[in-house]
Amino acid sequence: MTTKPEGRASPPIGRLPREASLGYQVNHLARLLERALRLRIEEYEVVPGQFAQLLALYEQEGLTQRELCERVQIEQPTMANTLQRMERDGLIRRVPDPQDRRQAKVLLSDRARALQEPLVAAAREVNDAATGGLDVSEVALLLSLLARAIENLESLGRP
């Protein structure tokens, strides 16, 4: 192992075992979290790909597509497809923005509002399962470290 300037060890050049790869580990965790969430929310006919948008709209309804993209860090074409599916599935409706009729505000449907409690409960179950065996301070530290890593990468900007 070599040591980086700040005292962090890294594998020898040319080798990056999966267990030492932050990207691999976080991606693997994300896939496991998605699968666990999918199993818990499929009965509500909601898929994990719609979940971030729903959470953002539960926090603040009436966002534009662009604002949703910024909140959940999804590209415009992907968001357009997801919102189209959510509209088809009766989760949202879009209404013209009264200040700028070229844009639409995304509103929750009555169905989506009724699903808020069970969907949030399902997400909490998955989070609790993922953090089983960790105490409250360890979970707080984990979330803090992940937030710092996210900030580090966001500060690099986009290509």
Side-chain angles (χ1 to χ4, degrees):
M1 295 254 171
T2 58
T3 303
K4 292 183 178 183
E6 294 151 9
R8 290 179 278 173
S10 63
I13 294 175
R15 183 170 177 268
L16 184 58
R18 290 173 296 157
E19 61 274 1
S21 169
L22 177 62
Y24 178 87
Q25 293 296 327
V26 170
N27 187 316
H28 185 66
L29 175 62
R31 285 184 280 123
L32 292 171
L33 288 167
E34 180 183 3
R35 183 171 56 202
L37 182 63
R38 179 181 303 280
L39 292 171
R40 284 169 177 80
I41 66 174
E42 66 188 355
E43 69 181 279
Y44 305 110
E45 298 178 356
V46 173
V47 296
Q50 300 168 333
F51 207 79
Q53 292 82 344
L54 285 170
L55 289 180
L57 291 168
Y58 290 148
E59 290 171 6
Q60 182 181 350
E61 193 170 352
L63 299 171
T64 65
Q65 180 173 318
R66 177 174 309 235
E67 291 168 330
L68 271 171
C69 287
E70 291 169 6
R71 298 260 173 117
V72 300
Q73 297 292 295
I74 293 177
E75 297 295 325
Q76 285 275 6
T78 303
M79 181 64 75
N81 289 336
T82 301
L83 292 178
Q84 196 170 39
R85 181 176 179 177
M86 291 174 75
E87 200 166 27
R88 181 201 71 199
D89 294 347
L91 294 169
I92 61 156
R93 60 189 177 90
R94 293 184 253 198
V95 298
D97 182 341
Q99 277 76 43
D100 183 352
R101 300 201 55 82
R102 294 171 296 170
Q103 295 189 58
K105 297 284 189 177
V106 181
L107 303 175
L108 293 165
S109 68
D110 291 340
R111 175 176 179 257
R113 281 190 200 90
L115 290 175
Q116 181 173 355
E117 190 174 315
L119 292 178
V120 170
R124 284 202 173 106
E125 284 177 29
V126 172
N127 289 338
D128 290 346
T131 57
L134 302 178
D135 66 36
V136 173
S137 65
E138 290 172 320
V139 173
L141 177 60
L142 174 62
L143 292 172
S144 173
L145 294 172
L146 288 171
R148 192 176 327 161
I150 290 166
E151 288 172 15
N152 289 342
L153 293 176
E154 285 179 342
S155 72
L156 296 177
R158 292 187 178 216

